[in-house]
Every structure is written in C-alpha cells, then in structure tokens.
C-alpha cells in the first residue's frame, strides 16, 4: 500500500493586533517606537499631538502579525483625545524615564486612566503590558533603579525591560518578547497565559519592599507607631524577616530591604529599654 503523502502544513493565519503607548510626556514613547520601526533617533523633543498612528508588520515564530500602533500623547492636555483609544487593545507599552521619579510614580495613574476608560466590563487582565525603563543611557542621575522598576512591573505580571531609544539598547529584545507574549495571548483565546504566575514572589513581598524603600524612618520601616514597645518592634521585625529573608524571597530588591529591616530594628532596640 502507498504510504500517505505527507500532509502539507497549513500556514497559520496572520494576526492583527492593537498596541498603545502610555506614560508621561517626554519619557520617550515616540522615540522607542521610532527606534524600532525606523531605526533612528531624534534628539529634539517633538511632543505628540493627541495620537500618532502607524502600522507595522512583524514576524513572530511562524506568524506574521500586523501591528496597529497608537502612540499616545503623555501630556494631560490630550486626555480628551486619547481616552477613546484604550479599548480593544492587546498590548501596552508603559514607559517611564529612569531619571524622573515622577514619571515612575505616575505609572499607577496611567493604569487607572485606562481602567476607567475601559469601564466596568473592560478587562485589563487580558492585555500584555511591557514596562520600559527608558533613557538608561542618560548621564543624568538615575532616580529609579532597576530593582524598583522590575519589582513594580513583575509584581503585576508585567514584562520589564531597560531601554534606550537613543542607543537602541533593549529595544529589539523588548519588542520581540512583547509581540511574542501577544501572540501567546491570542493563541490562548485572548487570555493572558499564566498571568502573574511563575515570577517566584508574592504581591505581599513586593508591597513590603516598596513600603520599606519609601519609609521615612526606622519606625515607619518596621510598620510600627513611633514609641512602640520592644515587643512590638520585635514582632514586626520577625514578620518582615520571614517575608523577606533572602533564602525565601527572590523579589528584586529583597536583599537590601531585608538588610534595612535588620538595621532599623537594631537602631530602635538600642534606644529602647
Ligand atoms: P509625548 O509625545 O509628549 O508624550 O512624549 P514622548 O514620551 O513621546 O517623548 P519623545 O519620544 O518625544 O521623547 C522626549 C525627549 O526625550 C526627546 O527629546 C528625545 O530625544 C528624548 N529621548 C527619548 N528617548 C531617549 C533615550 O532613550 N535616551 C535619551 N537620552 N533621550 C531620549
Ligand atoms: Mg510622543
């Protein structure tokens, strides 16, 4: 009997996806997109007016994807223009400037704006977010270090990349991983696969590290009221030590946070009888 002729592999259907950029004005959203699509960098700041739209085709594994990119203006003035572009989005480039703490602190409000515009039935869970810590080339003093940015991103199940639109550092890797995750999302029926899983640390650990970093003194660091007793200090310390012990916690920045907690306890106990 004749063996069956080999089945011809059907080319997989090409995909069409929508991607938007978010982040404060001047953090480099347009330059990141330009660096990837046009391989060039413009050093003069040309603020995006409302929205810039572009289409690009990329090959991810055996798939061709057609990406519609909506590059948003970061300035609050353009809120009215950008608010209608949030819906039906598969991927978000969430950008901040590593030299601007304010742009990093604003990331939460960008998520809030998107959530509000998507309304009660919108689902942010099924969107791929990539956080770009941009301008890593800049000689300017860095005000947000890698572990802080990575922690913010990964504790939310977001991708994280250090990028420079100026030198091109991290840009191709970032887009490649980002688009690949979007393809996985589409192949998974529009649901983010393993969202939040597999990062190896919990939201509670991430929140504790962030709180410790931002604490104003040793009391605050341990999460006790000024003037707390020796027992209260020790209890708070033990709880944080279990949560953040380097043998147990792999969250970025956990080692420094653990050391800070040990030092805070020592300093407080010295002055407590
Ligand atoms: P809006 O459109 O106003 O929201 O700003 P944007 O986020 O699109 O910023 P844009 O890409 O226009 O860049 C703002 C400024 O930062 C420009 O002067 C860029 O040249 C500069 N810039 C962008 N990316 C980088 C970078 O990676 N490194 C350095 N050193 N400068 C950058
Ligand atoms: Mg722009």
């Amino acid at each position: 009997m004749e063996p069956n002729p080999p089945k011809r592999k059907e080319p997989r259907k090409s995909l069409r996806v929508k991607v938007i950029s978010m982040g404060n004005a001047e953090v480099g959203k347009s330059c990141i997109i330009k660096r990837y699509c046009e391989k060039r960098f413009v050093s003069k700041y040309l603020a995006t007016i409302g929205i810039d739209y572009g289409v690009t085709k990329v090959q991810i594994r055996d798939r061709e994807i057609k990406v519609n990119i909506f590059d948003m203006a970061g300035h609050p003035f353009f809120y009215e223009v950008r608010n209608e572009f949030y819906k039906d989005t598969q991927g978000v480039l969430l950008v901040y400037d590593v030299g601007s703490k304010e742009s990093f602190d604003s990331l939460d409000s960008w998520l809030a704006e998107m959530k509000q515009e998507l309304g009660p039935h919108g689902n942010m869970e099924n969107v791929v977010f990539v956080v770009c810590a941009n301008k890593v080339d800049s000689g300017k003093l860095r005000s947000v270090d890698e572990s802080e940015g990575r922690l913010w991103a990964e504790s939310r199940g977001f991708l994280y990349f250090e990028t420079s639109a100026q030198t091109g550092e991290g840009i191709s890797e970032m887009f490649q991983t980002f688009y690949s995750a979007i393809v996985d999302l589409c192949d998974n029926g529009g649901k983010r696969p393993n969202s939040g899983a597999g990062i190896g640390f919990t939201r509670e650990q991430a929140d504790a590290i962030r709180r410790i970093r931002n604490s104003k003194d040793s009391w605050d660091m341990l999460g006790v009221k000024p003037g707390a007793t020796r027992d209260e200090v020790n209890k708070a310390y033990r709880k944080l030590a279990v949560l953040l012990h380097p043998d147990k916690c792999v969250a970025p920045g956990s080692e420094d946070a653990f050391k800070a907690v040990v030092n805070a306890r020592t300093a407080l106990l010295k002055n407590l009888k």
Side-chain angles (χ1 to χ4, degrees):
M1 210 167 73
E2 280 282 298
N4 288 337
K7 275 200 185 125
R8 195 182 300 153
K9 216 175 158 194
E10 287 289 324
R12 299 185 71 179
K13 258 193 6 213
S14 70
L15 280 176
R16 237 187 135 93
V17 302
K18 177 183 167 190
V19 160
I20 60 175
S21 68
M22 286 167 26
N24 282 9
E26 234 178 309
V27 294
K29 300 178 293 297
S30 303
C31 284
I32 288 175
I33 294 166
K34 212 167 267 153
R35 163 61 72 190
Y36 185 69
C37 297
E38 299 172 24
K39 311 269 174 285
R40 66 192 180 98
F41 175 72
V42 183
S43 58
K44 188 164 180 271
Y45 174 40
L46 298 163
T48 303
I49 307 296
I51 300 273
D52 267 348
Y53 169 71
V55 190
T56 175
K57 271 189 189 159
V58 287
Q59 182 82 25
I60 299 292
R61 306 194 286 270
D62 59 344
R63 298 292 269 281
E64 181 173 88
I65 55 173
K66 196 168 170 187
V67 187
N68 293 289
I69 304 186
F70 293 82
D71 176 25
M72 294 197 181
H75 199 283
F77 181 76
F78 295 110
Y79 166 69
E80 293 287 331
V81 185
R82 56 175 190 257
N83 63 5
E84 63 194 83
F85 288 91
Y86 284 111
K87 54 187 180 296
D88 304 322
T89 294
Q90 282 83 40
V92 175
L93 284 167
L94 194 50
V95 185
Y96 69 93
D97 169 355
V98 295
S100 157
K101 182 81 165 67
E102 192 196 337
S103 70
F104 175 67
D105 291 338
S106 299
L107 296 180
D108 281 313
S109 53
W110 281 99
L111 292 181
E113 180 174 308
M114 180 172 184
K115 196 169 179 336
Q116 183 189 315
E117 295 314 317
L118 291 182
H121 304 297
N123 193 347
M124 308 260 291
E125 288 302 306
N126 295 327
V127 174
V128 176
F129 285 87
V130 61
V131 175
C132 301
N134 194 41
K135 306 198 188 182
V136 289
D137 62 272
S138 173
K140 216 169 88 177
L141 201 65
R142 188 167 172 157
S143 36
V144 188
D145 67 23
E146 180 177 351
S147 63
E148 193 171 5
R150 190 177 281 285
L151 183 71
W152 188 91
E154 294 184 350
S155 63
R156 287 166 174 75
F158 298 172
L159 300 165
Y160 173 87
F161 281 85
E162 302 246 300
T163 59
S164 164
Q166 184 173 64
T167 64
E169 182 183 336
I171 302 286
S172 310
E173 299 88 320
M174 181 275 288
F175 274 105
Q176 203 63 20
T177 311
F178 179 48
Y179 289 148
S180 193
I182 294 176
V183 171
D184 290 344
L185 173 103
C186 296
D187 286 348
N188 199 38
K191 289 204 166 68
R192 198 159 70 185
N194 301 324
S195 71
I199 53 171
F201 59 89
T202 63
R203 186 70 185 263
E204 191 190 2
Q205 288 172 323
D207 288 346
I209 295 169
R210 195 170 315 115
R211 201 184 50 71
I212 289 163
R213 277 170 179 279
N214 295 329
S215 57
K216 54 183 191 304
D217 55 31
S218 299
W219 304 108
D220 196 24
M221 190 170 284
L222 289 179
V224 294
K225 287 201 188 86
T229 63
R230 204 177 176 85
D231 270 359
E232 285 166 336
V233 167
N234 278 328
K235 202 170 153 203
Y237 164 76
R238 272 195 300 274
K239 197 168 160 219
L240 285 171
V242 168
L243 194 66
L244 301 174
H245 195 282
D247 288 350
K248 301 231 174 62
C249 183
V250 296
S254 58
E255 216 173 300
D256 285 346
F258 181 73
K259 278 187 210 151
V261 166
V262 171
N263 292 339
R265 178 204 187 205
T266 311
L268 290 180
L269 291 186
K270 242 195 238 165
N271 298 320
L272 283 174
K273 291 283 153 263

